[in-house]
Amino acid sequence: MENIYDLVIIGGGPCGLASVVEAKVAGIKSVLLLEKGTNHSQTIRTFYKDNKRVDKEYKGLESQTKGRVKFETGTKEDVLNYFDSLLDSENIDAFFNTEVEKVIKNGDIFEIYTSNKIYKSKFAIIAIGRMGKPNKPSYKIPPSLNGIVNFNLDKCGNNERILVVGGGNSAVEYAISLSRTNTVTLSYRKMEFTRLNDINLKDIKYEEKYGNLILRLGTDVESLENEEGKILAKFKDGREFIYDRVIYAIGGSTPVEFLKNSNVEIDDKGVPIVDEYCQTKIKGLYIGGDLITRSGGSIVFALNHSNTIINHIVNK
C-alpha cells in the first residue's frame, strides 16, 4: 500500500522541530520531517556567529512558551544542543539534504514534491524561514567576485580588509567578530541604528570609539566592481574604497516562488495569509515561524506557532 503520512513538516528550524515534538506527544503517529540543509537549524548554524547569545525575549514581543517545548536564553551552541536532544527523543522519519519544490493538495491528500520523490500526507506544515533566502542588493554583483562577496561568515579568513553592509544585529555582530582579526568597515544606509538590541548598540559604539572598526552611517553602496581581483565599492556619495571581501547582512526574504507554486495566498508584502490557527486558505496546510510574522524571527513565536498548529490538527 502507498505510504501516506499523517503529517509532513517542511523545515528543520525551531518551528519544525517543535512541531515534531508536539505532534508525537499529541499522539500523531506517522510524522515526516524534510529539511533542505545537512542538519536541523540551518539558519542558526549559518548566520549566527559562534557563542552568539540567542534571546528568549525578542524586541519586546511575547516571551512565554505555551506548548511542550520550552526555551530559555542561551548561546548558539546551547540552543543547537537543545534542539539535538528534541530531535533524538522522538521516533520520526527525518530526511536532510531534501529540498521541497512545492506542496499541492490533491483531493484530501497533500503531495509534497522533492527533486526525486513525491511524499503524501494528510496534513502539512511549512516551517521554513526567511533567511533560507538572504536578501541581495539591487545592483548586480559581478560573477568574478562571487568568491569574495558573502552573506555569512563561512569563507572569512584573517588579515583581510572587509566591508560589512547592514544595520541589524547580525551585521553588527559580524563586524565586531571580524574586527578581532581583520580591518573592518560597517556601512549602514541610515544615519542611526534603529533595530539593534541594547547590548549590540553599546558594543558597536565602544568598538568605534576605541578605533577597533570603521563605522560609516548614512552611506549606501551603489555598485561593486572587480579591480585586479579585489572589490571596488562605489558609494552613492561619490567615495570609492577597495576591499578584500564584502559581507551583506541585510536580512532575508520570503521564498515567494515556493509559496506561489504551492498555491499559498500572500499579501502585498509577500507574507502568507493565515488564520488564527496558522492555517492557510488551503485547509490542512499550515505555516509557522517567521514567514508569517512581520516583526522578525522570534524563536518563542515559532515554538508557539507549532503548539497552535498541532492542537488545531488534533482537534480536527
Side-chain angles (χ1 to χ4, degrees), residues 216-229:
R216 299 191 187 281
L217 296 177
T219 59
D220 205 0
V221 179
E222 185 173 54
S223 64
L224 301 183
E225 295 181 8
N226 189 328
E227 185 159 309
E228 298 181 353

Side-chain angles (χ1 to χ4, degrees), residues 99-153:
E99 184 167 7
V100 175
E101 299 170 351
K102 60 183 177 180
V103 179
I104 300 296
K105 191 172 187 181
N106 185 0
D108 293 329
I109 299 298
F110 288 97
E111 297 176 342
I112 296 91
Y113 289 75
T114 69
S115 59
N116 58 6
K117 188 173 181 178
I118 300 175
Y119 298 93
K120 296 188 176 184
S121 179
K122 299 174 184 175
F123 295 91
I125 301 173
I126 298 173
I128 59 178
R130 294 175 183 271
M131 287 307 296
K133 187 179 180 183
N135 285 338
K136 295 184 179 181
S138 57
Y139 46 85
K140 182 179 180 180
I141 298 173
S144 61
L145 297 178
N146 284 345
I148 51 177
V149 174
N150 309 132
F151 296 87
N152 53 53
L153 303 184

Side-chain angles (χ1 to χ4, degrees), residues 135-199:
N135 285 338
K136 295 184 179 181
S138 57
Y139 46 85
K140 182 179 180 180
I141 298 173
S144 61
L145 297 178
N146 284 345
I148 51 177
V149 174
N150 309 132
F151 296 87
N152 53 53
L153 303 184
D154 282 354
K155 299 179 182 179
C156 297
N158 298 324
N159 302 314
E160 291 184 322
R161 188 175 184 186
I162 298 175
L163 172 66
V164 178
V165 180
N169 288 300
S170 292
V172 166
E173 290 167 4
Y174 285 0
I176 292 174
S177 176
L178 290 167
S179 69
R180 305 294 181 240
T181 55
N182 300 276
T183 301
V184 175
T185 298
L186 175 61
S187 171
Y188 183 41
R189 59 186 175 82
K190 295 184 179 181
M191 292 302 300
E192 61 181 22
F193 293 107
T194 58
R195 297 182 287 134
L196 297 186
N197 61 46
D198 293 341
I199 293 175

Side-chain angles (χ1 to χ4, degrees), residues 267-280:
D267 64 18
D268 56 356
K269 301 293 186 182
V271 178
I273 298 172
V274 298
D275 62 18
E276 66 269 31
Y277 306 109
C278 302
Q279 184 175 220
T280 69

Side-chain angles (χ1 to χ4, degrees), residues 191-251:
M191 292 302 300
E192 61 181 22
F193 293 107
T194 58
R195 297 182 287 134
L196 297 186
N197 61 46
D198 293 341
I199 293 175
N200 282 336
L201 183 60
K202 178 181 177 181
D203 288 348
I204 193 65
K205 289 182 176 179
Y206 175 91
E207 299 296 335
E208 182 197 21
K209 180 178 179 180
Y210 284 89
N212 297 326
L213 53 74
I214 301 167
L215 183 58
R216 299 191 187 281
L217 296 177
T219 59
D220 205 0
V221 179
E222 185 173 54
S223 64
L224 301 183
E225 295 181 8
N226 189 328
E227 185 159 309
E228 298 181 353
K230 294 185 180 295
I231 301 171
L232 173 63
K234 294 186 176 183
F235 290 82
K236 290 183 178 179
D237 61 8
R239 290 185 293 179
E240 301 179 357
F241 298 95
I242 293 288
Y243 298 97
D244 299 306
R245 187 176 303 277
V246 173
I247 298 174
Y248 289 96
I250 51 178

